């Protein structure tokens, strides 16, 4: 051995664990309006600072400022707020339904509602979203029937997916919502293929895909970006960086070394880093990327910087690996509260209206759950067992038919 | 026509019939494929219908699944079946399950073409026969032609099929049938009835086996290159065997198999793939389950060994005439 220092293996650790004082003061948060907005047809080479900025529109007082301000009509803002609140109300009640034994599993998207709702509203009918399991807001913004969600979660006789899928792995083609799968990341490349098909058909539709920051470590992330870049696919590729992949903090996915938006640099596509708790910023950045895609200028990678306020799923207890009060200290706040403050600032909303809207939405969710319960909760009602054998192929082959007969059907 | 030309012809014909068919894969575009299966297609149909892909099997199959969800009928190529594994997640978790999990909202009418099988000194990563990995997956179909005529008709049927199809092409017999004797000069498809490929559209339904030779003494179940090896060995031994080319592993033509074994009372299964949990195990089980009271001898299988495919020891590994002959002798003893 020379006197050279011995090697050490670096294992990233989060700033705070259970019992520790939460301290986000080291996090650099650019102020609202600070990050510039280039023209949509700008050259990628002229945008390489953007992945290290943070597109923000709403300032701390609830004002919309800067070049990214999408200048939305109050009516649009209220629609967005409504869909976000609906998402939250639904999450709360169905999480409880799990605790009451009415279903086997649930996942909330608390704290991330601005992302799916704003993006759902920006994209058009005919565009396709390739979701993760945490973008319920997409469906809420498009008024997907609550009862269909409830029936899917209860896996009952009226489940649109015939009891074949784990709760919340929805499929809603008519709402631009692609079939979910439990395999993380495996649909990120489908969005690119779908977008390539749209381009091949000389259509005007675009694809939007989500992947969590933890899943960016999967090969699917690299594959999708490579194909998107090579074929200039009209796709908006989004990383929802909510800081946590189950118990694993984002540093284990590489966040301590660079931003997820900066991964775009290596593929030669624009990368935007966006305040994911800022409805207006998400809207503006998505609109920018969607216009770019529609103008045949190719794909954009958007990192949506947010915080997973809830546990990973009903099977998870986040107090085992992070401080219980971490979300209260999250510097980008709560997306619902921030949009509400903005509307109040505009004189277009009040606390009273807000409270009565929450009450109305909770009533709607309660009614849907009740209607679902009337059909049956998990195990109390099921689709016909014959459904198990349908849809393996378009037409079942003899094995499937014989196996069905084994069950006497 | 040789098998490459038959495949090329099927692709050409189907692309002309259906604008939703696109071909992508490594080197399939300008160059026309490392085996020439897509030669001339880019020039004829344009770059956006036949194009080169990055070297990424997961990406190729994943993009194809997305294209199919949109409404296209992609026919991706994986250069060698040995390289399909990075795309397994896409095939198993996505393509195979799309129709089922979405209750039919999304489907995957994709045909994955891939050269497979040994006998060409391809060593470990140019010789494998991974069909059992796919026959085990609910929602995938697996097709393996043994002649140019079948290759064209089956590929057309596979492309038209509304479910994902694994289409494995035995590359040892791309240019001519192979009887298993590597010392004999290689033959071409010229003069072989399977090499007579009609012009124009025809299809062979998936799930229908072909009786290569009718016989009374023994049923031989094979597919791909092994069909020709079986034919040569049994002709050489002068045994009145019934040789069945399965052509389609999933869906399987069990009716033809059952009828034959019930007639002959004896069954030999041959495949190049490794033995344990290979497709032969499924065939043997099915024959046991359905033909037990007709069997006059234990069902035999001759397969590749449970080792990686070796290079210089290829002909010791390959289930050739000697090993097949011994199995036939055992079966015919009584």
């Amino acid at each position: 051995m020379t006197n050279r220092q011995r090697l050490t293996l670096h294992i990233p650790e989060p700033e705070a664990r259970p019992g520790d004082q939460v301290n986000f003061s080291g996090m650099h948060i650019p102020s609202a309006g600070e990050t510039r907005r280039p023209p949509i047809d700008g050259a990628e080479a002229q945008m390489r600072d953007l992945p290290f900025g943070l597109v923000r529109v709403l300032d701390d007082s609830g004002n919309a400022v800067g070049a990214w301000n999408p200048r939305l009509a109050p009516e649009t803002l209220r629609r967005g707020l409504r869909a976000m609140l609906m998402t939250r109300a639904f999450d709360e009640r169905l999480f409880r339904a799990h605790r009451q034994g009415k279903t086997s599993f649930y996942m909330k998207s608390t704290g991330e509602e601005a992302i799916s709702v704003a993006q759902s509203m920006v994209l058009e009918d005919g565009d396709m979203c390739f979701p993760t399991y945490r973008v319920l807001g997409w469906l809420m913004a498009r008024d997907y029937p609550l009862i269909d969600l409830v029936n899917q979660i209860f896996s009952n006789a009226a489940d649109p997916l015939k009891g074949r899928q784990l709760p919340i792995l929805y499929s809603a083609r008519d709402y631009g919502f692609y079939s979910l799968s439990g395999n993380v990341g495996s649909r990120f490349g489908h969005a690119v293929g779908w977008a390539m098909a749209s381009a091949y058909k000389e259509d005007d539709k675009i694809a939007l895909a989500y992947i969590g920051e933890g899943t960016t470590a999967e090969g699917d992330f690299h594959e999708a970006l490579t194909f998107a870049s090579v074929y200039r696919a009209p796709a908006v590729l989004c990383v929802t960086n909510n800081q946590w992949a189950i118990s694993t903090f984002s540093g284990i996915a590489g966040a301590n070394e660079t931003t997820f938006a900066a991964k775009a640099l290596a593929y030669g596509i624009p990368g935007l880093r966006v305040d994911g708790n800022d409805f207006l910023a998400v809207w503006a950045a998505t609109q920018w990327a969607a216009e770019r895609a529609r103008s045949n200028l190719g794909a954009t990678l958007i990192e949506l910087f947010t915080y997973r306020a809830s546990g990973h799923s009903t099977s998870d207890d986040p107090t085992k690996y992070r401080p219980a009060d971490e979300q209260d200290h999250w510097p980008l706040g709560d997306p619902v509260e921030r949009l509400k403050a903005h509307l109040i600032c505009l004189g277009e909303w009040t606390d009273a209206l807000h409270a009565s809207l929450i009450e109305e939405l909770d009533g709607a969710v309660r009614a849907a759950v009740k209607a679902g319960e009337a059909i049956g909760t998990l195990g109390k009602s099921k689709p016909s067992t014959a459904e198990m054998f349908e849809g393996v192929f378009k037409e079942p082959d003899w094995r499937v038919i014989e196996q069905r007969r084994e069950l006497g059907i | 026509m040789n098998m490459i030309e038959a495949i090329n012809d099927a692709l050409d014909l189907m692309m002309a019939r259906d604008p939703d068919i696109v071909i992508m894969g490594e080197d399939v575009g300008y160059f026309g494929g490392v085996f020439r299966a897509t030669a001339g297609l880019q020039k004829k149909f344009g770059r956006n219908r036949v194009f080169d892909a990055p070297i990424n099997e997961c990406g190729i199959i994943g993009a194809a699944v997305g294209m199919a969800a949109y409404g296209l009928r992609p026919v991706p190529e994986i250069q060698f079946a040995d390289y399909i594994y990075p795309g397994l997640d896409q095939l198993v978790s996505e393509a195979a399950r799309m129709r089922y999990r979405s209750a039919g909202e999304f489907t995957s009418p994709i045909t994955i073409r891939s050269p497979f099988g040994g006998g060409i000194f391809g060593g470990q990563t140019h010789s494998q026969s991974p069909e059992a990995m796919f026959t085990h997956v609910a929602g995938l179909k697996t097709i393996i032609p043994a002649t140019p005529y079948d290759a064209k008709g089956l590929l057309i049927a596979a492309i038209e099929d509304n479910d994902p199809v694994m289409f494995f092409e035995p590359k040892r017999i791309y240019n001519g049938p192979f009887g298993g004797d590597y010392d004999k000069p290689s033959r071409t498809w010229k003069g072989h009835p399977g090499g007579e490929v009609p012009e124009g559209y025809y299809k062979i339904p998936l799930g229908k086996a072909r009786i290569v030779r009718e016989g009374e003494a023994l049923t031989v179940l094979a597919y791909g290159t092994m069909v020709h090896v079986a034919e040569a060995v049994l002709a050489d031994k002068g045994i009145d065997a019934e040789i069945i080319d399965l052509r389609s592993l999933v869906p399987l033509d069990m009716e033809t198999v059952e009828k034959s074994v019930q007639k002959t009372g004896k069954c030999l299964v041959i495949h190049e793939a490794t033995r344990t949990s290979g497709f032969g195990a499924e065939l043997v089980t099915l024959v046991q389950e359905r033909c037990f009271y007709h069997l006059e001898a234990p069902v035999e299988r001759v397969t590749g060994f449970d080792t990686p495919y070796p290079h210089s020891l290829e002909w010791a590994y390959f289930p050739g005439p000697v090993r097949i002959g011994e199995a036939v002798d055992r079966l015919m003893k009584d």
Side-chain angles (χ1 to χ4, degrees):
Chain A
M1 262 320 205
T2 62
N3 55 5
R4 190 185 284 161
Q5 211 181 351
R6 285 200 175 222
L7 295 170
T8 56
L9 179 63
H10 175 66
I11 311 290
E13 258 300 300
E15 297 270 334
R17 287 297 193 182
D20 293 346
Q21 199 72 42
V22 180
N23 183 5
F24 282 115
S25 63
M27 187 181 283
H28 172 65
I29 308 279
S31 51
E34 187 180 314
T35 299
R36 71 192 181 95
R37 183 187 186 281
I40 62 144
D41 58 352
E44 181 274 333
Q46 306 303 315
M47 302 180 191
R48 292 183 183 163
D49 54 320
L50 291 173
F52 302 100
L54 192 66
V55 174
R56 304 185 70 208
V57 174
L58 291 172
D59 68 16
D60 293 343
S61 335
N63 296 305
V65 299
W68 286 95
N69 182 1
R71 299 175 194 287
L72 300 180
E75 188 39 46
T76 307
L77 296 171
R78 278 192 294 261
R79 262 180 50 222
L81 184 66
R82 183 187 180 88
M84 285 163 69
L85 283 169
M86 181 62 108
T87 306
R88 192 162 285 188
F90 190 87
D91 274 350
E92 292 300 331
R93 193 153 290 275
L94 273 295
F95 187 89
R96 257 187 286 160
H98 169 266
R99 295 303 192 228
Q100 293 161 350
K102 291 172 185 165
T103 182
S104 62
F105 185 71
Y106 195 74
M107 296 174 102
K108 294 160 83 173
S109 51
T110 314
E112 302 175 42
E113 297 94 339
I115 294 168
S116 49
V117 169
Q119 298 199 306
S120 181
M121 291 173 74
V122 170
L123 263 72
E124 294 172 9
D125 287 348
D127 293 337
M128 186 65 73
C129 148
F130 292 73
T132 64
Y133 43 64
R134 231 184 279 284
V135 291
L136 173 65
W138 182 281
L139 293 171
M140 295 305 191
R142 294 182 176 209
D143 297 320
Y144 184 80
L146 297 182
I147 183 65
D148 288 344
L149 296 172
V150 171
N151 289 335
Q152 198 281 331
I153 291 162
F154 289 168
S155 253
N156 62 22
D159 174 2
L161 302 182
K162 321 278 186 196
R164 294 176 189 152
Q165 271 281 46
L166 192 70
I168 82 161
L169 299 183
Y170 315 115
S171 179
R173 188 181 181 117
D174 293 343
Y175 295 78
F177 192 89
Y178 190 66
S179 159
L180 270 162
S181 148
N183 297 60
V184 292
S186 54
R187 282 139 290 110
F188 210 53
H190 297 186
V192 175
W194 195 95
M196 287 167 69
S198 177
Y200 165 73
K201 294 295 261 183
E202 298 176 10
D203 210 335
D204 61 355
K205 297 172 188 156
I206 64 169
L208 181 145
Y210 292 102
I211 200 165
E213 93 287 343
T215 307
T216 61
E218 292 279 7
D220 301 87
F221 179 69
H222 164 69
E223 283 136 11
L225 286 168
T226 300
F227 278 65
S229 164
V230 168
Y231 301 113
R232 290 193 196 155
V236 181
L237 300 172
C238 303
V239 178
T240 50
N241 176 6
N242 68 11
Q243 317 302 321
W244 291 95
I246 307 187
S247 73
T248 307
F249 92 113
S250 57
I252 293 288
N256 287 1
E257 313 304 327
T258 186
T259 71
F260 293 100
K263 311 258 174 183
L265 295 173
Y267 299 90
I269 65 173
L272 297 177
R273 193 160 165 271
V274 179
D275 178 347
N277 291 11
D278 179 340
F279 182 84
L280 297 179
V282 176
W283 182 294
T286 308
Q287 194 172 44
W288 186 90
E291 269 181 48
R292 206 175 146 88
R294 273 188 232 286
S295 310
N296 222 14
L297 295 164
T300 301
L301 180 69
I302 302 181
E303 173 183 353
L304 298 146
F305 198 68
T306 182
Y307 183 81
R308 195 195 75 205
S310 56
H312 167 71
S313 72
T314 45
S315 310
D316 180 43
D317 175 5
T319 64
K320 294 275 196 292
Y321 51 80
R322 69 183 189 188
D325 63 343
E326 197 176 69
Q327 73 173 94
D328 304 334
H329 298 271
W330 178 245
L332 298 177
D334 176 88
V336 170
E337 293 305 317
R338 286 176 65 194
L339 183 56
K340 175 190 169 196
H342 176 56
L343 270 163
I344 290 175
C345 250
L346 293 176
E348 295 285 349
W349 199 238
T350 64
D351 282 320
L353 283 170
H354 196 78
S356 76
L357 178 59
I358 287 175
E359 202 174 322
E360 177 203 329
L361 299 176
D362 191 50
V365 174
R366 218 168 345 169
V369 170
K370 219 169 155 193
E373 281 174 353
I375 299 163
T377 54
L378 179 67
K380 303 280 192 291
S381 155
K382 286 179 202 142
S384 147
T385 308
E387 285 296 349
M388 180 161 69
F389 300 97
E390 296 296 323
V392 179
F393 295 119
K394 187 158 193 276
E395 306 294 341
D397 71 323
W398 63 267
R399 303 167 306 161
V400 177
I401 292 167
E402 279 194 3
Q403 289 163 27
R404 190 177 67 201
R405 286 193 195 126
E406 274 179 41
L407 291 183
I409 39 179
Chain B
M1 262 188 212
N2 67 29
M3 195 182 283
I4 291 285
E5 289 160 342
I7 287 162
N8 186 272
D9 191 37
L11 294 171
D12 185 345
L13 189 137
M14 291 307 286
M15 291 193 79
R17 284 168 74 103
D18 184 351
D20 288 339
I21 295 170
V22 291
I23 290 174
M24 65 172 152
E26 297 153 18
D27 305 297
V28 303
Y30 185 86
F31 180 57
V34 294
F35 290 105
R36 320 303 302 148
T38 56
L41 296 178
Q42 186 183 72
K43 194 167 179 201
K44 183 165 173 186
F45 294 102
R47 267 205 310 253
N48 63 346
R49 293 196 67 190
V50 184
F51 53 88
D52 290 325
I55 302 174
N56 190 320
E57 291 73 21
C58 176
I60 290 168
I61 299 168
V65 173
M67 289 174 156
Y70 187 93
L72 303 188
R73 282 188 181 273
V75 187
E77 176 185 301
I78 301 299
Q79 204 160 73
F80 285 87
D82 315 64
Y83 303 144
I84 211 161
Y85 310 125
L88 266 187
D89 187 38
Q90 287 300 331
L91 291 168
V92 176
S93 311
E94 298 293 331
R97 291 170 192 202
M98 193 61 74
R99 178 189 296 280
Y100 191 78
R101 76 169 194 237
S102 71
E105 281 198 331
F106 297 93
T107 59
S108 280
I110 303 166
T111 303
I112 290 120
R113 289 186 40 249
S114 193
F116 100 130
I120 56 149
F121 280 111
Q124 297 188 20
T125 55
H126 299 80
S127 308
Q128 295 165 38
S129 299
E131 66 274 17
M133 295 205 173
F134 302 97
T135 57
H136 188 57
V137 177
L140 292 181
K141 296 181 179 175
T142 300
I143 306 300
I144 301 169
T147 67
Y149 176 83
D150 282 359
K152 179 173 170 183
L154 287 166
L155 182 54
I156 288 171
I159 292 171
E160 285 187 350
D161 196 271
N162 289 311
D163 290 302
V165 180
M166 307 302 302
F167 193 85
F168 289 117
E169 302 163 2
K171 57 190 170 300
R172 181 63 183 79
I173 54 170
Y174 266 158
N175 292 311
F178 174 61
D181 186 342
Y182 52 90
D183 279 338
K184 278 195 183 160
S186 46
R187 290 157 59 200
T188 66
W189 283 106
K190 217 171 160 175
H192 190 288
E196 282 164 31
V197 180
E199 272 184 36
Y201 177 93
Y202 67 92
K203 68 175 169 180
I204 297 169
L206 309 184
K208 287 271 173 267
R210 172 175 68 102
I211 299 179
V212 179
R213 178 193 190 284
E214 289 191 17
E216 303 289 332
L218 161 74
T219 298
V220 178
L221 305 180
Y223 48 89
T225 304
M226 301 320 293
V227 170
H228 303 281
V229 179
E231 225 184 327
V233 173
L234 287 145
D236 206 39
K237 294 183 84 73
I239 287 170
D240 183 26
E242 181 144 300
I243 300 173
I244 297 176
D245 171 6
L246 295 174
R247 300 199 290 204
S248 174
L249 307 191
V250 176
L252 180 69
D253 184 355
M254 201 53 212
E255 208 182 313
T256 298
V257 172
E258 263 179 75
K259 233 157 92 187
S260 177
V261 177
Q262 287 174 3
K263 176 177 70 175
T264 63
K266 292 178 180 180
C267 181
L268 170 63
V269 173
I270 310 175
H271 62 56
E272 284 184 73
T274 49
R275 187 170 307 161
T276 304
S277 305
F279 192 67
E282 185 62 30
L283 290 171
V284 171
T285 306
L286 286 167
V287 168
Q288 286 280 128
E289 284 173 348
R290 287 158 184 263
C291 310
F292 185 78
Y293 293 107
H294 294 85
L295 287 175
E296 295 161 16
V299 182
E300 288 262 357
R301 53 181 165 156
V302 181
T303 69
F305 293 115
D306 285 326
T307 69
Y309 206 111
H311 183 242
S312 74
L313 305 173
E314 171 144 64
W315 300 114
Y317 176 93
F318 189 87
V322 175
R323 288 171 56 212
I324 294 172
E326 286 167 4
V328 170
D329 291 346
R330 281 194 299 274
L331 278 160
M332 301 309 296
K333 208 165 51 192
D334 304 316

